């Protein structure tokens, strides 16, 4: 089944990025959030990003206009009933995601796949809130969604092969390279492997070994990373990183995944990273 009308819930970093990606690939997309204010903020960021690309000579004004004309914004979830694929990208909170999936299950046609962009929550637990666990799947984009090539496809215990195949083909139609996990797996591949590196960088900072700038520069020059680990945590969002660590620690019962105190402290102080104006760096 070709996906023609996707619906994205959550106009934050990931949802608005995936919405923009869909529109850039020629699809009519709707991105939903809970308030007009949040929607205007997300739309403003996308417009500003596209305007910068015009200034750099990468796209034309017509390109920008045509992308924006395919992006619809809404606070009304009922529109999901007219769409053929839903991607959820709201807060990393199981209760909130289950409540949303319950609503989507009652709004969407029985054929509609309900995908979650969760970083680490259980796809099966999210699916349990619906009457269609075979059509619930993890579709994990990376930040920035427009640029990053990988989409991890994470199965729940009851996800059907047909759902996996449709989601894989949808990812490819968006110009991405999908990699599918062999089983339900908290945090999939990349986020789990990265967790240790990011925590260790935070621990090196908390121990006073070096400044964020020096830690990041050292990791770029010495480990060949494209960006420093602390700048990456800021870009991901410290709240998202913390939620991921809490899930990994709970599910895998391994001390390696214990959420670092420094991250908990910074989240409590509202230092959530780039989106909040301050994390390890000020923006
Ligand atoms: N930030 C990353 O780098 C990254 C990468 C991959 C996956 N993820 C995952 O993607 C999801 C979203 O992360 P994010 O960084 O975009 O978060 P974010 O905080 O930037 O955005 C979340 C958005 O969801 C909206 N929202 C919350 N409840 C809603 C509801 N019931 N209906 C509609 N909108 C609702 C919020 O208002 C907010 O605008 C999370 O599950 C996260 O773990 C994040």
């Amino acid at each position: 089944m070709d996906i023609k009308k996707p619906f994205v819930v959550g106009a934050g970093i990931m949802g608005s990025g995936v919405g923009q990606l869909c529109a850039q690939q020629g699809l009519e997309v709707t991105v939903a959030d809970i308030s007009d204010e949040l929607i205007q903020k997300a739309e403003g960021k996308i417009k500003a990003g596209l305007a910068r690309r015009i200034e750099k000579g990468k796209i034309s004004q017509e390109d920008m206009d045509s992308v924006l004309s395919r992006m619809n914004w809404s606070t009304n979830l009922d529109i999901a009933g007219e769409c053929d694929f839903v991607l959820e990208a709201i807060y990393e909170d199981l209760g909130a995601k289950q409540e949303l999936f319950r609503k989507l299950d009652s709004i969407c046609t029985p054929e509609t796949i309900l995908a979650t962009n969760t970083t680490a929550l259980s796809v099966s637990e999210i699916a349990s809130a619906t009457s269609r666990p075979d059509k619930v799947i993890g579709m994990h984009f990376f930040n920035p969604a427009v640029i990053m090539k990988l989409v991890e496809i994470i199965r729940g215990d009851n996800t059907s092969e047909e759902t996996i195949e449709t989601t894989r083909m949808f990812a490819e139609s968006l110009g991405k390279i999908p990699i599918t996990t062999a089983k339900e797996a908290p945090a999939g591949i990349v986020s789990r492997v990265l967790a240790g590196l990011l925590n260790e960088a935070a621990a090196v900072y908390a121990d006073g070994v070096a400044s964020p700038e020096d830690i990041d520069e050292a990791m770029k020059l010495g480990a060949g990373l494209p960006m420093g680990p602390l700048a990456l945590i800021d870009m991901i969002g410290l709240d998202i990183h913390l939620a991921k660590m809490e899930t990994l620690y709970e599910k895998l019962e391994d001390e390696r995944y214990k959420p670092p105190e420094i991250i908990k402290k910074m989240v409590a102080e509202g230092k959530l990273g780039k989106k909040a104006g301050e994390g390890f760096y000020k923006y």
Side-chain angles (χ1 to χ4, degrees), residues 114-148:
L114 306 180
T116 171
N117 192 47
T118 183
T119 301
L121 295 171
S122 158
V123 173
S124 304
E125 285 174 27
I126 295 171
S128 71
T130 74
S131 61
R132 61 180 89 191
D134 58 314
K135 294 205 162 54
V136 178
I137 188 163
M139 187 181 196
H140 187 211
F141 287 85
F142 290 79
N143 183 15
V146 169
I147 294 168
M148 299 297 279

Side-chain angles (χ1 to χ4, degrees), residues 8-16 32-35 38-39 42 45 74-75 77 88-93 96-97 99-100 103 116-121 139-144 191 232-233 235-237 239-241 243-244 272 275:
V8 180
V9 195
I13 299 176
M14 295 310 295
S16 51
D33 208 300
I34 46 182
S35 74
L38 286 164
I39 281 183
K45 275 192 188 164
S74 183
T75 52
L77 271 191
E88 165 277 313
I90 70 165
Y91 304 130
E92 184 76 349
D93 177 282
K97 288 194 196 279
E99 192 187 327
L100 176 65
K103 281 189 201 151
T116 171
N117 192 47
T118 183
T119 301
L121 295 171
M139 187 181 196
H140 187 211
F141 287 85
F142 290 79
N143 183 15
S191 296
L232 180 55
I233 302 181
M235 191 169 116
I236 292 168
D239 52 335
I240 297 283
H241 179 67
K244 172 181 73 179
L272 305 184
K275 65 184 167 189

